[in-house]
Amino acid sequence: MIRTLISTAVLSLAITTTVSAATELRFAEPSPNRGARADAVIHFMEDVTKLSNGDLTFDMHWGGALLDYKSVANGVAVGTADLGTMLAAYDPQKLRSLTIGDLPTKYSDPWVGMRAMYELMTTNEDMERLLAELNFVYLTGYSSTGVQFECAGDNKIRTVADVEGKRIRAVGNYAKILDDLGANLVNLNQGDAYQAYDTGLIDCGASYFYTMRAFKTFEVADNYTIANWGQLLGFATLMNLDVWNDLSQEQQAVLQKAGSSAINYFAKLQIEEMALVVDGLRTGDIGKKANVYEMAEEDRTLLAEAGEKYIQEWIDRANKDGVDGQKIWDEYTAMLAKYQNELDTLGYPWER
């Protein structure tokens, strides 16, 4: 009887220990649970749980139910959530290190951009330290895909000169550059663009092929220009550093592996979606036929030149933060070139 009681107690203790060893992470996701990026977030969580054999799970809060984009940075930093998805454009002062990804470059491919940003934020000691000072660690990143021009009615932007006088919706440094080029900027969320086109509040928008079906702007826009003008990469899931440090090395490795895998997964979804949208606009299969132009290389060069002063501004701010801004910028652009070369020579990882 004594042996039986002891065995039962040991078994109960083992079960209790197994249950208590599982770690549930509170995840704040400001976006709703729909679309390609939501699929990528779900893929990340499922990957983490699978790779950890159920040792890591998530308490997920979608659509800003716990923290929205304006509050998520502070909320994760103080522990309201263990991790959360953040857009540097909503808190550029706090997330200054992430804003390097929002600077316009000639690289618009989402896989190239996300891979370069992931490598920079997880291997560059200065960038890791800047995040650590905010109590963050970088897990995975996202891309808006390349910036394109979308216009309603007879409006069109085929050249840089066409920007002047247009009422344009844009965000971040892209809005600043278009303002410099003579646009009349209109401050609107992406979700309000449809009605703004329909009512004539805006003529054009700096948009993304990957989001057009989700917001159905093709129903009210008529002219598109493929500019492939940089992308927004200051878009990431960050984790509370104190929570990270409490995890085992094995758990940390799982999160890192899943974060890297999620980038390939999301890039594939985006690239497939962009191809469907461009083809659908040209043929009308998307629901409405539209004019699709391609911006000339000389105009793309002018856009790049117009953004150079904002690159220098980022470098100067980084220097004030105690790091070598030029060195970090050079390292980042070298990573972009490296992944672009890999893409050009080997293709996408899922195609090899």
Side-chain angles (χ1 to χ4, degrees), residues 232-267:
L232 294 177
L233 292 160
F235 193 4
T237 295
L238 306 182
M239 188 170 191
N240 179 288
L241 182 59
D242 295 327
V243 175
W244 172 265
N245 288 334
D246 285 340
L247 299 176
S248 68
Q249 290 184 351
E250 291 78 11
Q251 290 172 322
Q252 292 175 355
V254 162
L255 288 165
Q256 290 170 329
K257 184 174 182 179
S260 179
S261 174
I263 285 174
N264 287 355
Y265 183 85
F266 184 42

PDB file of all heavy atoms in Angstrom, residues 232-267:
ATOM      1  N   LEU A 232       7.448  49.000 -47.062  1.00  0.00           N
ATOM      2  CA  LEU A 232       7.456  49.230 -45.617  1.00  0.00           C
ATOM      3  C   LEU A 232       7.869  47.938 -44.924  1.00  0.00           C
ATOM      4  O   LEU A 232       7.173  46.937 -44.987  1.00  0.00           O
ATOM      5  CB  LEU A 232       6.073  49.670 -45.138  1.00  0.00           C
ATOM      6  CG  LEU A 232       5.574  51.031 -45.629  1.00  0.00           C
ATOM      7  CD1 LEU A 232       4.161  51.281 -45.134  1.00  0.00           C
ATOM      8  CD2 LEU A 232       6.501  52.152 -45.196  1.00  0.00           C
ATOM      9  N   LEU A 233       9.034  47.983 -44.261  1.00  0.00           N
ATOM     10  CA  LEU A 233       9.561  46.813 -43.562  1.00  0.00           C
ATOM     11  C   LEU A 233       9.716  47.053 -42.057  1.00  0.00           C
ATOM     12  O   LEU A 233      10.141  46.154 -41.330  1.00  0.00           O
ATOM     13  CB  LEU A 233      10.912  46.419 -44.156  1.00  0.00           C
ATOM     14  CG  LEU A 233      10.856  45.861 -45.590  1.00  0.00           C
ATOM     15  CD1 LEU A 233      12.218  45.961 -46.259  1.00  0.00           C
ATOM     16  CD2 LEU A 233      10.364  44.426 -45.600  1.00  0.00           C
ATOM     17  N   GLY A 234       9.352  48.248 -41.611  1.00  0.00           N
ATOM     18  CA  GLY A 234       9.346  48.521 -40.172  1.00  0.00           C
ATOM     19  C   GLY A 234       8.082  47.968 -39.555  1.00  0.00           C
ATOM     20  O   GLY A 234       7.284  48.684 -38.930  1.00  0.00           O
ATOM     21  N   PHE A 235       7.910  46.681 -39.717  1.00  0.00           N
ATOM     22  CA  PHE A 235       6.648  45.990 -39.441  1.00  0.00           C
ATOM     23  C   PHE A 235       7.050  44.629 -38.880  1.00  0.00           C
ATOM     24  O   PHE A 235       7.541  43.778 -39.619  1.00  0.00           O
ATOM     25  CB  PHE A 235       5.898  45.869 -40.759  1.00  0.00           C
ATOM     26  CG  PHE A 235       4.449  45.462 -40.665  1.00  0.00           C
ATOM     27  CD1 PHE A 235       3.800  45.297 -39.461  1.00  0.00           C
ATOM     28  CD2 PHE A 235       3.722  45.241 -41.843  1.00  0.00           C
ATOM     29  CE1 PHE A 235       2.475  44.925 -39.409  1.00  0.00           C
ATOM     30  CE2 PHE A 235       2.396  44.872 -41.808  1.00  0.00           C
ATOM     31  CZ  PHE A 235       1.772  44.721 -40.590  1.00  0.00           C
ATOM     32  N   ALA A 236       6.870  44.411 -37.584  1.00  0.00           N
ATOM     33  CA  ALA A 236       7.467  43.218 -36.976  1.00  0.00           C
ATOM     34  C   ALA A 236       6.690  42.747 -35.764  1.00  0.00           C
ATOM     35  O   ALA A 236       5.946  43.508 -35.139  1.00  0.00           O
ATOM     36  CB  ALA A 236       8.912  43.518 -36.568  1.00  0.00           C
ATOM     37  N   THR A 237       6.881  41.476 -35.437  1.00  0.00           N
ATOM     38  CA  THR A 237       6.424  40.938 -34.157  1.00  0.00           C
ATOM     39  C   THR A 237       7.604  40.965 -33.202  1.00  0.00           C
ATOM     40  O   THR A 237       8.635  40.325 -33.452  1.00  0.00           O
ATOM     41  CB  THR A 237       5.893  39.506 -34.311  1.00  0.00           C
ATOM     42  OG1 THR A 237       4.711  39.533 -35.139  1.00  0.00           O
ATOM     43  CG2 THR A 237       5.528  38.913 -32.956  1.00  0.00           C
ATOM     44  N   LEU A 238       7.463  41.727 -32.136  1.00  0.00           N
ATOM     45  CA  LEU A 238       8.501  41.864 -31.116  1.00  0.00           C
ATOM     46  C   LEU A 238       8.022  41.234 -29.824  1.00  0.00           C
ATOM     47  O   LEU A 238       6.826  41.199 -29.534  1.00  0.00           O
ATOM     48  CB  LEU A 238       8.839  43.338 -30.874  1.00  0.00           C
ATOM     49  CG  LEU A 238       9.222  44.178 -32.098  1.00  0.00           C
ATOM     50  CD1 LEU A 238       9.569  45.602 -31.666  1.00  0.00           C
ATOM     51  CD2 LEU A 238      10.374  43.560 -32.863  1.00  0.00           C
ATOM     52  N   MET A 239       8.982  40.758 -29.037  1.00  0.00           N
ATOM     53  CA  MET A 239       8.663  40.095 -27.774  1.00  0.00           C
ATOM     54  C   MET A 239       9.246  40.868 -26.605  1.00  0.00           C
ATOM     55  O   MET A 239      10.310  41.509 -26.731  1.00  0.00           O
ATOM     56  CB  MET A 239       9.225  38.665 -27.779  1.00  0.00           C
ATOM     57  CG  MET A 239       8.797  37.831 -26.599  1.00  0.00           C
ATOM     58  SD  MET A 239       9.275  36.089 -26.835  1.00  0.00           S
ATOM     59  CE  MET A 239       8.359  35.330 -25.490  1.00  0.00           C
ATOM     60  N   ASN A 240       8.562  40.834 -25.487  1.00  0.00           N
ATOM     61  CA  ASN A 240       9.059  41.427 -24.253  1.00  0.00           C
ATOM     62  C   ASN A 240      10.358  40.738 -23.852  1.00  0.00           C
ATOM     63  O   ASN A 240      10.413  39.512 -23.739  1.00  0.00           O
ATOM     64  CB  ASN A 240       7.992  41.267 -23.162  1.00  0.00           C
ATOM     65  CG  ASN A 240       8.426  41.823 -21.823  1.00  0.00           C
ATOM     66  OD1 ASN A 240       9.275  41.247 -21.149  1.00  0.00           O
ATOM     67  ND2 ASN A 240       7.827  42.937 -21.432  1.00  0.00           N
ATOM     68  N   LEU A 241      11.415  41.513 -23.666  1.00  0.00           N
ATOM     69  CA  LEU A 241      12.738  40.951 -23.415  1.00  0.00           C
ATOM     70  C   LEU A 241      12.795  40.189 -22.090  1.00  0.00           C
ATOM     71  O   LEU A 241      13.483  39.163 -21.990  1.00  0.00           O
ATOM     72  CB  LEU A 241      13.793  42.061 -23.423  1.00  0.00           C
ATOM     73  CG  LEU A 241      15.241  41.628 -23.233  1.00  0.00           C
ATOM     74  CD1 LEU A 241      15.686  40.652 -24.321  1.00  0.00           C
ATOM     75  CD2 LEU A 241      16.165  42.849 -23.205  1.00  0.00           C
ATOM     76  N   ASP A 242      12.086  40.660 -21.073  1.00  0.00           N
ATOM     77  CA  ASP A 242      12.086  39.961 -19.784  1.00  0.00           C
ATOM     78  C   ASP A 242      11.476  38.565 -19.926  1.00  0.00           C
ATOM     79  O   ASP A 242      11.985  37.585 -19.360  1.00  0.00           O
ATOM     80  CB  ASP A 242      11.300  40.762 -18.737  1.00  0.00           C
ATOM     81  CG  ASP A 242      11.958  42.090 -18.420  1.00  0.00           C
ATOM     82  OD1 ASP A 242      13.206  42.152 -18.463  1.00  0.00           O
ATOM     83  OD2 ASP A 242      11.235  43.054 -18.132  1.00  0.00           O
ATOM     84  N   VAL A 243      10.387  38.483 -20.694  1.00  0.00           N
ATOM     85  CA  VAL A 243       9.754  37.182 -20.939  1.00  0.00           C
ATOM     86  C   VAL A 243      10.705  36.290 -21.728  1.00  0.00           C
ATOM     87  O   VAL A 243      10.856  35.098 -21.442  1.00  0.00           O
ATOM     88  CB  VAL A 243       8.412  37.360 -21.677  1.00  0.00           C
ATOM     89  CG1 VAL A 243       7.815  36.002 -22.043  1.00  0.00           C
ATOM     90  CG2 VAL A 243       7.434  38.157 -20.823  1.00  0.00           C
ATOM     91  N   TRP A 244      11.348  36.864 -22.734  1.00  0.00           N
ATOM     92  CA  TRP A 244      12.322  36.125 -23.551  1.00  0.00           C
ATOM     93  C   TRP A 244      13.431  35.540 -22.687  1.00  0.00           C
ATOM     94  O   TRP A 244      13.799  34.375 -22.831  1.00  0.00           O
ATOM     95  CB  TRP A 244      12.895  37.063 -24.611  1.00  0.00           C
ATOM     96  CG  TRP A 244      14.047  36.523 -25.405  1.00  0.00           C
ATOM     97  CD1 TRP A 244      15.376  36.723 -25.152  1.00  0.00           C
ATOM     98  CD2 TRP A 244      13.991  35.701 -26.565  1.00  0.00           C
ATOM     99  NE1 TRP A 244      16.153  36.089 -26.091  1.00  0.00           N
ATOM    100  CE2 TRP A 244      15.324  35.448 -26.972  1.00  0.00           C
ATOM    101  CE3 TRP A 244      12.955  35.161 -27.323  1.00  0.00           C
ATOM    102  CZ2 TRP A 244      15.641  34.676 -28.093  1.00  0.00           C
ATOM    103  CZ3 TRP A 244      13.265  34.398 -28.435  1.00  0.00           C
ATOM    104  CH2 TRP A 244      14.587  34.153 -28.809  1.00  0.00           C
ATOM    105  N   ASN A 245      13.951  36.343 -21.791  1.00  0.00           N
ATOM    106  CA  ASN A 245      15.058  35.889 -20.937  1.00  0.00           C
ATOM    107  C   ASN A 245      14.634  34.800 -19.960  1.00  0.00           C
ATOM    108  O   ASN A 245      15.474  34.029 -19.482  1.00  0.00           O
ATOM    109  CB  ASN A 245      15.655  37.067 -20.167  1.00  0.00           C
ATOM    110  CG  ASN A 245      16.457  37.998 -21.065  1.00  0.00           C
ATOM    111  OD1 ASN A 245      16.979  37.584 -22.097  1.00  0.00           O
ATOM    112  ND2 ASN A 245      16.543  39.265 -20.690  1.00  0.00           N
ATOM    113  N   ASP A 246      13.341  34.720 -19.672  1.00  0.00           N
ATOM    114  CA  ASP A 246      12.836  33.676 -18.771  1.00  0.00           C
ATOM    115  C   ASP A 246      12.655  32.340 -19.485  1.00  0.00           C
ATOM    116  O   ASP A 246      12.465  31.307 -18.835  1.00  0.00           O
ATOM    117  CB  ASP A 246      11.489  34.097 -18.157  1.00  0.00           C
ATOM    118  CG  ASP A 246      11.663  35.148 -17.066  1.00  0.00           C
ATOM    119  OD1 ASP A 246      12.785  35.260 -16.531  1.00  0.00           O
ATOM    120  OD2 ASP A 246      10.685  35.857 -16.769  1.00  0.00           O
ATOM    121  N   LEU A 247      12.694  32.359 -20.820  1.00  0.00           N
ATOM    122  CA  LEU A 247      12.546  31.122 -21.580  1.00  0.00           C
ATOM    123  C   LEU A 247      13.852  30.342 -21.593  1.00  0.00           C
ATOM    124  O   LEU A 247      14.942  30.901 -21.434  1.00  0.00           O
ATOM    125  CB  LEU A 247      12.123  31.428 -23.016  1.00  0.00           C
ATOM    126  CG  LEU A 247      10.789  32.149 -23.213  1.00  0.00           C
ATOM    127  CD1 LEU A 247      10.575  32.454 -24.692  1.00  0.00           C
ATOM    128  CD2 LEU A 247       9.631  31.328 -22.664  1.00  0.00           C
ATOM    129  N   SER A 248      13.751  29.035 -21.820  1.00  0.00           N
ATOM    130  CA  SER A 248      14.953  28.219 -21.979  1.00  0.00           C
ATOM    131  C   SER A 248      15.597  28.489 -23.329  1.00  0.00           C
ATOM    132  O   SER A 248      14.962  29.039 -24.237  1.00  0.00           O
ATOM    133  CB  SER A 248      14.595  26.737 -21.865  1.00  0.00           C
ATOM    134  OG  SER A 248      13.810  26.338 -22.978  1.00  0.00           O
ATOM    135  N   GLN A 249      16.831  28.087 -23.495  1.00  0.00           N
ATOM    136  CA  GLN A 249      17.507  28.254 -24.776  1.00  0.00           C
ATOM    137  C   GLN A 249      16.787  27.473 -25.870  1.00  0.00           C
ATOM    138  O   GLN A 249      16.718  27.919 -27.020  1.00  0.00           O
ATOM    139  CB  GLN A 249      18.964  27.794 -24.673  1.00  0.00           C
ATOM    140  CG  GLN A 249      19.833  28.707 -23.819  1.00  0.00           C
ATOM    141  CD  GLN A 249      21.292  28.282 -23.823  1.00  0.00           C
ATOM    142  OE1 GLN A 249      21.651  27.213 -24.325  1.00  0.00           O
ATOM    143  NE2 GLN A 249      22.148  29.112 -23.256  1.00  0.00           N
ATOM    144  N   GLU A 250      16.236  26.322 -25.511  1.00  0.00           N
ATOM    145  CA  GLU A 250      15.507  25.514 -26.479  1.00  0.00           C
ATOM    146  C   GLU A 250      14.244  26.242 -26.944  1.00  0.00           C
ATOM    147  O   GLU A 250      13.903  26.239 -28.137  1.00  0.00           O
ATOM    148  CB  GLU A 250      15.126  24.155 -25.880  1.00  0.00           C
ATOM    149  CG  GLU A 250      16.304  23.220 -25.619  1.00  0.00           C
ATOM    150  CD  GLU A 250      17.091  23.577 -24.363  1.00  0.00           C
ATOM    151  OE1 GLU A 250      16.597  24.438 -23.571  1.00  0.00           O
ATOM    152  OE2 GLU A 250      18.179  23.016 -24.168  1.00  0.00           O
ATOM    153  N   GLN A 251      13.537  26.881 -26.013  1.00  0.00           N
ATOM    154  CA  GLN A 251      12.330  27.627 -26.373  1.00  0.00           C
ATOM    155  C   GLN A 251      12.674  28.840 -27.239  1.00  0.00           C
ATOM    156  O   GLN A 251      11.970  29.144 -28.206  1.00  0.00           O
ATOM    157  CB  GLN A 251      11.599  28.070 -25.107  1.00  0.00           C
ATOM    158  CG  GLN A 251      10.961  26.923 -24.335  1.00  0.00           C
ATOM    159  CD  GLN A 251      10.413  27.368 -22.986  1.00  0.00           C
ATOM    160  OE1 GLN A 251      11.018  28.198 -22.296  1.00  0.00           O
ATOM    161  NE2 GLN A 251       9.274  26.817 -22.603  1.00  0.00           N
ATOM    162  N   GLN A 252      13.749  29.520 -26.905  1.00  0.00           N
ATOM    163  CA  GLN A 252      14.188  30.657 -27.709  1.00  0.00           C
ATOM    164  C   GLN A 252      14.531  30.219 -29.130  1.00  0.00           C
ATOM    165  O   GLN A 252      14.173  30.891 -30.105  1.00  0.00           O
ATOM    166  CB  GLN A 252      15.396  31.330 -27.053  1.00  0.00           C
ATOM    167  CG  GLN A 252      15.075  32.033 -25.748  1.00  0.00           C
ATOM    168  CD  GLN A 252      16.327  32.585 -25.064  1.00  0.00           C
ATOM    169  OE1 GLN A 252      17.451  32.354 -25.524  1.00  0.00           O
ATOM    170  NE2 GLN A 252      16.127  33.314 -23.979  1.00  0.00           N
ATOM    171  N   ALA A 253      15.205  29.086 -29.244  1.00  0.00           N
ATOM    172  CA  ALA A 253      15.589  28.571 -30.564  1.00  0.00           C
ATOM    173  C   ALA A 253      14.355  28.243 -31.398  1.00  0.00           C
ATOM    174  O   ALA A 253      14.344  28.459 -32.619  1.00  0.00           O
ATOM    175  CB  ALA A 253      16.481  27.344 -30.410  1.00  0.00           C
ATOM    176  N   VAL A 254      13.320  27.717 -30.766  1.00  0.00           N
ATOM    177  CA  VAL A 254      12.073  27.400 -31.467  1.00  0.00           C
ATOM    178  C   VAL A 254      11.447  28.676 -32.028  1.00  0.00           C
ATOM    179  O   VAL A 254      11.026  28.731 -33.190  1.00  0.00           O
ATOM    180  CB  VAL A 254      11.095  26.679 -30.518  1.00  0.00           C
ATOM    181  CG1 VAL A 254       9.670  26.727 -31.069  1.00  0.00           C
ATOM    182  CG2 VAL A 254      11.520  25.235 -30.312  1.00  0.00           C
ATOM    183  N   LEU A 255      11.376  29.717 -31.208  1.00  0.00           N
ATOM    184  CA  LEU A 255      10.793  30.976 -31.654  1.00  0.00           C
ATOM    185  C   LEU A 255      11.590  31.582 -32.806  1.00  0.00           C
ATOM    186  O   LEU A 255      11.020  32.122 -33.763  1.00  0.00           O
ATOM    187  CB  LEU A 255      10.715  31.964 -30.482  1.00  0.00           C
ATOM    188  CG  LEU A 255       9.648  31.642 -29.431  1.00  0.00           C
ATOM    189  CD1 LEU A 255       9.895  32.443 -28.164  1.00  0.00           C
ATOM    190  CD2 LEU A 255       8.252  31.940 -29.973  1.00  0.00           C
ATOM    191  N   GLN A 256      12.907  31.488 -32.732  1.00  0.00           N
ATOM    192  CA  GLN A 256      13.753  32.015 -33.810  1.00  0.00           C
ATOM    193  C   GLN A 256      13.542  31.237 -35.106  1.00  0.00           C
ATOM    194  O   GLN A 256      13.425  31.830 -36.183  1.00  0.00           O
ATOM    195  CB  GLN A 256      15.223  31.963 -33.381  1.00  0.00           C
ATOM    196  CG  GLN A 256      15.584  32.966 -32.291  1.00  0.00           C
ATOM    197  CD  GLN A 256      16.968  32.741 -31.722  1.00  0.00           C
ATOM    198  OE1 GLN A 256      17.459  31.605 -31.675  1.00  0.00           O
ATOM    199  NE2 GLN A 256      17.604  33.811 -31.279  1.00  0.00           N
ATOM    200  N   LYS A 257      13.497  29.931 -35.008  1.00  0.00           N
ATOM    201  CA  LYS A 257      13.314  29.107 -36.206  1.00  0.00           C
ATOM    202  C   LYS A 257      11.954  29.365 -36.842  1.00  0.00           C
ATOM    203  O   LYS A 257      11.842  29.511 -38.073  1.00  0.00           O
ATOM    204  CB  LYS A 257      13.455  27.626 -35.849  1.00  0.00           C
ATOM    205  CG  LYS A 257      13.374  26.693 -37.055  1.00  0.00           C
ATOM    206  CD  LYS A 257      13.665  25.244 -36.669  1.00  0.00           C
ATOM    207  CE  LYS A 257      13.623  24.340 -37.894  1.00  0.00           C
ATOM    208  NZ  LYS A 257      13.922  22.924 -37.540  1.00  0.00           N
ATOM    209  N   ALA A 258      10.915  29.447 -36.009  1.00  0.00           N
ATOM    210  CA  ALA A 258       9.571  29.695 -36.529  1.00  0.00           C
ATOM    211  C   ALA A 258       9.470  31.104 -37.121  1.00  0.00           C
ATOM    212  O   ALA A 258       8.786  31.314 -38.134  1.00  0.00           O
ATOM    213  CB  ALA A 258       8.535  29.513 -35.428  1.00  0.00           C
ATOM    214  N   GLY A 259      10.148  32.066 -36.515  1.00  0.00           N
ATOM    215  CA  GLY A 259      10.132  33.436 -37.026  1.00  0.00           C
ATOM    216  C   GLY A 259      10.761  33.534 -38.395  1.00  0.00           C
ATOM    217  O   GLY A 259      10.259  34.238 -39.283  1.00  0.00           O
ATOM    218  N   SER A 260      11.851  32.830 -38.596  1.00  0.00           N
ATOM    219  CA  SER A 260      12.512  32.825 -39.900  1.00  0.00           C
ATOM    220  C   SER A 260      11.652  32.111 -40.942  1.00  0.00           C
ATOM    221  O   SER A 260      11.505  32.579 -42.075  1.00  0.00           O
ATOM    222  CB  SER A 260      13.881  32.141 -39.782  1.00  0.00           C
ATOM    223  OG  SER A 260      14.536  32.103 -41.025  1.00  0.00           O
ATOM    224  N   SER A 261      11.062  30.994 -40.562  1.00  0.00           N
ATOM    225  CA  SER A 261      10.214  30.235 -41.469  1.00  0.00           C
ATOM    226  C   SER A 261       8.992  31.037 -41.896  1.00  0.00           C
ATOM    227  O   SER A 261       8.551  30.954 -43.051  1.00  0.00           O
ATOM    228  CB  SER A 261       9.773  28.934 -40.796  1.00  0.00           C
ATOM    229  OG  SER A 261       8.837  28.236 -41.581  1.00  0.00           O
ATOM    230  N   ALA A 262       8.443  31.832 -40.982  1.00  0.00           N
ATOM    231  CA  ALA A 262       7.243  32.615 -41.275  1.00  0.00           C
ATOM    232  C   ALA A 262       7.485  33.636 -42.384  1.00  0.00           C
ATOM    233  O   ALA A 262       6.571  33.971 -43.144  1.00  0.00           O
ATOM    234  CB  ALA A 262       6.750  33.318 -40.017  1.00  0.00           C
ATOM    235  N   ILE A 263       8.710  34.113 -42.494  1.00  0.00           N
ATOM    236  CA  ILE A 263       9.031  35.090 -43.531  1.00  0.00           C
ATOM    237  C   ILE A 263       8.887  34.466 -44.914  1.00  0.00           C
ATOM    238  O   ILE A 263       8.266  35.041 -45.815  1.00  0.00           O
ATOM    239  CB  ILE A 263      10.448  35.650 -43.305  1.00  0.00           C
ATOM    240  CG1 ILE A 263      10.417  36.623 -42.127  1.00  0.00           C
ATOM    241  CG2 ILE A 263      10.985  36.327 -44.563  1.00  0.00           C
ATOM    242  CD1 ILE A 263      11.754  37.144 -41.707  1.00  0.00           C
ATOM    243  N   ASN A 264       9.447  33.279 -45.106  1.00  0.00           N
ATOM    244  CA  ASN A 264       9.300  32.600 -46.400  1.00  0.00           C
ATOM    245  C   ASN A 264       7.833  32.307 -46.703  1.00  0.00           C
ATOM    246  O   ASN A 264       7.372  32.456 -47.833  1.00  0.00           O
ATOM    247  CB  ASN A 264      10.101  31.302 -46.406  1.00  0.00           C
ATOM    248  CG  ASN A 264      11.598  31.540 -46.483  1.00  0.00           C
ATOM    249  OD1 ASN A 264      12.054  32.668 -46.623  1.00  0.00           O
ATOM    250  ND2 ASN A 264      12.371  30.481 -46.392  1.00  0.00           N
ATOM    251  N   TYR A 265       7.117  31.880 -45.684  1.00  0.00           N
ATOM    252  CA  TYR A 265       5.701  31.530 -45.857  1.00  0.00           C
ATOM    253  C   TYR A 265       4.897  32.750 -46.292  1.00  0.00           C
ATOM    254  O   TYR A 265       4.112  32.693 -47.244  1.00  0.00           O
ATOM    255  CB  TYR A 265       5.159  30.974 -44.537  1.00  0.00           C
ATOM    256  CG  TYR A 265       3.726  30.505 -44.588  1.00  0.00           C
ATOM    257  CD1 TYR A 265       3.402  29.220 -45.011  1.00  0.00           C
ATOM    258  CD2 TYR A 265       2.693  31.355 -44.201  1.00  0.00           C
ATOM    259  CE1 TYR A 265       2.087  28.790 -45.053  1.00  0.00           C
ATOM    260  CE2 TYR A 265       1.368  30.934 -44.245  1.00  0.00           C
ATOM    261  CZ  TYR A 265       1.070  29.649 -44.671  1.00  0.00           C
ATOM    262  OH  TYR A 265      -0.242  29.227 -44.721  1.00  0.00           O
ATOM    263  N   PHE A 266       5.103  33.866 -45.601  1.00  0.00           N
ATOM    264  CA  PHE A 266       4.354  35.088 -45.909  1.00  0.00           C
ATOM    265  C   PHE A 266       4.746  35.649 -47.273  1.00  0.00           C
ATOM    266  O   PHE A 266       3.895  36.090 -48.048  1.00  0.00           O
ATOM    267  CB  PHE A 266       4.590  36.125 -44.811  1.00  0.00           C
ATOM    268  CG  PHE A 266       3.791  37.386 -44.967  1.00  0.00           C
ATOM    269  CD1 PHE A 266       2.464  37.352 -45.341  1.00  0.00           C
ATOM    270  CD2 PHE A 266       4.381  38.627 -44.731  1.00  0.00           C
ATOM    271  CE1 PHE A 266       1.724  38.522 -45.473  1.00  0.00           C
ATOM    272  CE2 PHE A 266       3.654  39.789 -44.859  1.00  0.00           C
ATOM    273  CZ  PHE A 266       2.322  39.748 -45.238  1.00  0.00           C
ATOM    274  N   ALA A 267       6.037  35.633 -47.583  1.00  0.00           N
ATOM    275  CA  ALA A 267       6.495  36.144 -48.872  1.00  0.00           C
ATOM    276  C   ALA A 267       5.842  35.378 -50.024  1.00  0.00           C
ATOM    277  O   ALA A 267       5.417  35.976 -51.029  1.00  0.00           O
ATOM    278  CB  ALA A 267       8.013  36.062 -48.969  1.00  0.00           C
TER     279      ALA A 267
END
